[in-house]
Amino acid sequence: MSATDAVTFWDGVYAGRPSAGDPRPNARLVETVTDLPPGDALDLGCGDGGDALWLARRGWRVTAVDISAVAAERLTDHARSLGLGDLVTAEQHDLRASFPEGRFDLVSAHYLHTPFDLDRAAVLRTAAHALRPGGRLLVVDHGSTAPWSWNQDPDIRYPTPREVAAGIALDPEAWTVERADTPRRIATGPGGRTAEVVDHVLLIRRTAA
């Protein structure tokens, strides 16, 4: 499907639901980043902006991107209303065609899944190369299907963190896998529904230029 189809789809997803009043950060981001010193962060697929706002509150300068202009505009307005406009820059990007400029100490890609064609390995490889030495790429994927997910395909298979790392194919002389595991947690979905889900967590650190 075309880029226009993908943008239209995701704009419809966000336009069809109310703006999140106080979006929460993802649990794996919080546990990974809490003890890190703030720097420059890139949030790929920012959605409602919970991760970007949480990072900004902790002093990070955040570039937050989403394929949906609706999501990016809402995040811009929300950040300004919270006095975080100087720390959050929200941009619309179809990552199949463009990638934000800059060098980063953290790149976060949470649940970067889509029903449209996307060479995720290429996107994540570009993200890894956008890291400064010492910077980290955090990739968190679904490892199971929540009852409220838009994708209820019973035959779907979720690649393991090690498979994702192999697909990115980074030089081990310059990047090191610091974490690759599949923890479980209780997730909360629309209407307060809860379910146990599996996360696939991959953390890669750039060790050399």
Side-chain angles (χ1 to χ4, degrees), residues 59-120:
W60 290 79
R61 296 173 298 275
V62 185
T63 300
V65 305
D66 202 279
I67 192 172
S68 168
V70 174
E73 290 166 5
R74 282 183 175 179
L75 178 54
T76 295
D77 292 342
H78 201 167
R80 288 173 178 166
S81 73
L82 294 172
L84 299 171
D86 290 342
L87 291 173
V88 177
T89 301
E91 302 176 0
Q92 189 273 338
H93 284 272
D94 181 345
L95 294 172
R96 296 177 297 179
S98 63
F99 196 88
E101 297 181 356
R103 303 285 284 174
F104 304 97
D105 304 293
L106 171 71
V107 179
S108 173
H110 274 72
Y111 314 113
L112 192 63
H113 304 290
T114 178
F116 299 90
D117 291 335
L118 175 67
D119 187 345
R120 276 195 358 132

Side-chain angles (χ1 to χ4, degrees), residues 9-10 13 17 111-116 142 145-153 156:
F9 173 84
W10 287 110
V13 168
R17 66 192 192 199
Y111 314 113
L112 192 63
H113 304 290
T114 178
F116 299 90
H142 294 302
T145 302
W148 52 82
S149 172
W150 54 265
N151 188 350
Q152 293 294 325
D153 181 355
I156 190 170

Side-chain angles (χ1 to χ4, degrees), residues 27-36 106 136 138 179 201 203:
R28 304 306 173 197
L29 177 76
V30 173
E31 69 184 23
T32 301
V33 176
T34 293
D35 293 332
L36 297 180
L106 171 71
R136 291 172 171 87
L138 174 62
R179 179 180 180 182
V201 182
L203 182 65

